[in-house]
Amino acid sequence: MPTSSPIEAPALPAQGLPAAEILERLASYRSHDLACDERTWAYVYDAGQEVRELARQASAMFLSENGLDPTAFPSLLRFENELVALGAAHLGGDAEVVGNFTSGGTESILLAVKAARDRARSEITQPEMVLPTTAHAAFHKAAHYFGLKTVSVDVDASFRADPPAMRAAINERTVLLVGSAASYAHGVVDPIEELAAIAVEHDLWLHVDACIGGFLLPYLARLGQEVPAFDFRLPGVCSISMDLHKYAYTPKGASLILYRNKELRRHQFFACADWTGYALVNATVQSTKSAAPLAAAWAVVHHLGDAGYLRLARSVRDTTRQILAGLEELPDLRVLGAPDMSLIAFGSDSINLFALVDAMKARGWHLQPQLAFRNAPSSVHLTVTAAHERCVPALIADLRASVEEAREQVDNPMLAGLAAAVAGIDPEGLEPEAFLELLAAAGLQGTALPERMADVHSILNALPKPLVEALLVAYFNELYAGGN
Ligand SMILES: *Cc1c(COP(=O)(O)O)cnc(C)c1O
């Protein structure tokens, strides 16, 4: 292998830069970032300037503390135990329910999967989990990290888990069943009551992924909306993940993993005295751990309070209803399923949705494209938050104009050829050189993405999923590299 020449990497300044200049640079570097405002319909949850400012101050107060050792920082233990107790009460838990604060929904899910695997470990060495196709990708990540096999079961026509089909997928190696309240892609709550009954019947662990719905759904119920049962009130529900950095509007890095009792939660922990350093015990994945998201989360939930969250939930509910009514006026778009909360997916039989996303982007809106999978068609996702209260008429008007623009869009003739070329690739053997050639063939300069992403999404939508995954890995392997 020839040694490569050193790249022109940015170096540390010989003398440190003044703080004012640093802050100026940070501000200028973010000018191409996605706007964190009401034009964005994914990623961002914002309850306004005042909440943001409090979160900023609380975070800043706790930048040095270390969550590694809660006995050294009792304040952190207190914040965590209080947030867990609030979460448990919010989700119908009794005094037996315990849990931990984690960095996000993915970490909460990783921990629940690990706990379920380890509880069964003495009997089951090749563990499997049975989950609906709508369950979050984080479960597949957990399976990948922890050596479980996933058994993905098709959902029904309303995009809800199909309990009889899930029951049929259970075998002697199954250690975990999964349901969502609600699912991210379509915003529907799975029939958790039936899944819980199956879990009891087969003595299986049921995890309810309430990352996005756990905080909001009880408020929607209090506002009179019909919300199916999904929480600890159902026997058989063993663990629930609930993010705070979504509908509790806390800064990112905040989620809860809750267990019905300590016996279940015990399998989440890791301890090690098998080295020369301090005797280590970790409740969660991280060891040294920032206290800033924890302190900020504690601050925000106590500042907004029950009344604050009820007000925000009402706003979100009303905005969602307005959008659903607006979409009814657009015959080219159809809402998939019947959303149970504030997540909307719409599909189309007449226009290219990926072109619609581009046309909306040109008008300043960020909507999230979702690829077709099994019996779910491709769609566009909207996460409705309190920030969107006043922008529905503008959103619908721009959707109307963008539908017309997308209708005019003809498929790039290069696409068919490229899709065929790509389809022949073995995902296992995707070499970096071949990948870069592909990017060039698709008209991409290195890793820079084109302004219009419709062609890229259309290709991804047409390819087998293992190939999509291999292409994404290859792309990010280039993206996170010096000299870009
Ligand atoms: C957001 C989400 C997750 C993953 O959470 P992260 O915080 O992004 O790691 C899991 N499940 C559902 C339903 C979600 O909405």
Side-chain angles (χ1 to χ4, degrees):
M1 274 261 301
T3 52
S4 55
S5 52
I7 52 162
E8 290 277 329
L12 275 182
Q15 302 298 326
L17 305 175
E21 187 184 334
I22 299 273
L23 295 175
E24 232 168 75
R25 283 213 200 172
L26 294 181
S28 90
Y29 292 165
R30 85 202 296 205
S31 64
H32 297 291
D33 291 357
L34 188 64
C36 293
D37 63 17
E38 74 285 354
R39 290 170 298 171
T40 293
W41 295 81
Y43 304 131
V44 179
Y45 301 77
D46 183 18
Q49 165 67 23
E50 196 190 310
V51 172
R52 242 179 358 250
E53 181 55 23
L54 171 67
R56 196 180 69 76
Q57 289 184 28
S59 301
M61 276 178 75
F62 283 86
L63 291 180
S64 303
E65 285 74 3
N66 192 338
L68 170 65
D69 182 357
T71 65
F73 302 99
S75 64
L76 307 187
L77 183 61
R78 174 179 187 157
F79 298 151
E80 180 158 349
N81 281 342
E82 289 187 7
L83 285 172
V84 166
L86 289 175
H90 196 58
L91 297 177
D94 59 22
E96 298 279 291
V97 170
V98 290
N100 286 95
F101 181 88
T102 75
S103 64
T106 298
E107 189 181 356
S108 292
I109 289 167
L110 289 175
L111 292 169
V113 171
K114 179 206 165 320
R117 181 199 67 173
D118 287 359
R119 190 172 73 131
R121 185 131 77 177
S122 58
E123 289 149 38
I124 299 171
T125 52
Q126 292 176 300
E128 300 187 6
M129 86 173 91
V130 173
L131 71 178
T133 52
T134 49
H136 196 276
F139 292 96
H140 298 271
K141 180 175 177 177
H144 177 75
Y145 277 17
F146 301 139
L148 287 85
K149 181 180 163 196
T150 53
V151 181
S152 265
V153 179
D154 278 332
V155 290
D156 69 16
S158 64
F159 305 99
R160 289 189 173 80
D162 177 345
M166 285 184 65
R167 180 197 273 110
I170 294 170
N171 64 33
E172 66 284 358
R173 291 183 297 277
T174 307
V175 300
L176 179 66
L177 294 181
V178 175
S180 308
S183 67
Y184 180 79
H186 305 100
V188 297
V189 177
D190 285 333
I192 304 295
E193 191 163 357
E194 288 166 74
L195 295 180
I198 295 172
V200 169
E201 177 193 328
H202 290 263
D203 191 22
L204 276 173
W205 186 307
L206 173 65
H207 179 82
V208 176
D209 179 8
C211 280
I212 204 156
F215 204 84
L216 181 59
L217 286 167
Y219 284 108
L220 294 179
R222 275 166 59 186
L223 291 170
Q225 194 163 312
E226 190 113 15
V227 173
F230 70 94
D231 63 17
F232 285 116
R233 276 167 283 229
L234 297 173
V237 172
C238 290
S239 54
I240 305 181
S241 47
M242 174 170 76
D243 291 351
L244 301 177
H245 62 201
K246 288 177 179 159
Y247 284 104
Y249 298 97
T250 77
K252 287 186 178 53
S255 173
L256 297 173
I257 177 64
L258 303 168
Y259 296 85
R260 181 169 288 283
N261 56 47
K262 285 182 184 152
E263 198 285 310
L264 298 175
R265 198 262 303 264
R266 181 164 65 86
H267 303 281
Q268 171 191 299
F269 291 162
F270 175 76
C272 179
D274 211 9
W275 71 312
T276 54
Y278 55 88
L280 174 142
V281 54
N282 287 159
T284 61
V285 174
Q286 289 176 300
S287 201
T288 284
K289 157 159 87 175
S290 172
L294 173 62
W298 192 94
V300 167
V301 304
H302 286 85
H303 180 63
L304 279 167
D306 195 50
Y309 283 118
L310 200 58
R311 174 174 55 78
L312 291 167
R314 185 177 282 118
S315 154
V316 165
R317 180 198 64 181
D318 293 348
T319 306
T320 305
R321 286 180 180 172
Q322 286 169 32
I323 295 169
L324 290 172
L327 286 172
E328 292 218 339
E329 308 293 311
L330 302 174
D332 289 278
L333 308 182
R334 68 189 161 85
V335 173
L336 301 183
D340 284 314
M341 48 180 280
S342 51
L343 313 168
I344 298 171
F346 61 80
S348 178
D349 301 321
S350 50
I351 61 155
N352 180 335
L353 289 170
F354 306 126
L356 175 78
V357 168
D358 283 344
M360 286 298 280
K361 183 176 168 208
R363 291 173 168 80
W365 304 94
H366 173 81
L367 313 184
Q368 196 170 46
Q370 302 186 130
L371 304 182
F373 182 59
R374 304 254 283 256
N375 63 355
S378 56
S379 59
V380 175
H381 173 100
L382 303 176
T383 294
V384 182
T385 73
H388 295 125
E389 204 169 53
R390 273 180 286 279
C391 63
V392 178
L395 175 83
I396 298 295
D398 279 345
L399 273 174
R400 189 184 298 277
S402 298
V403 163
E404 293 315 315
E405 209 178 305
R407 203 196 304 283
E408 303 298 305
Q409 208 98 63
V410 285
D411 276 352
N412 183 338
M414 216 175 58
L415 267 187
L418 188 66
V422 176
I425 296 175
D426 170 17
E428 299 284 326
L430 184 61
E431 299 290 339
E433 294 74 25
F435 173 70
L436 291 172
E437 273 171 32
L438 274 175
L439 286 185
L444 302 187
Q445 303 279 320
T447 51
L449 291 175
E451 193 58 29
R452 298 207 164 265
M453 286 288 289
D455 290 355
V456 173
H457 286 129
S458 296
I459 292 176
L460 292 178
N461 199 42
L463 292 178
K465 300 306 174 186
L467 191 50
V468 173
E469 291 162 357
L471 288 169
L472 291 174
V473 169
Y475 177 78
F476 277 78
N477 208 15
E478 295 302 321
L479 190 62
Y480 287 111
N484 279 311

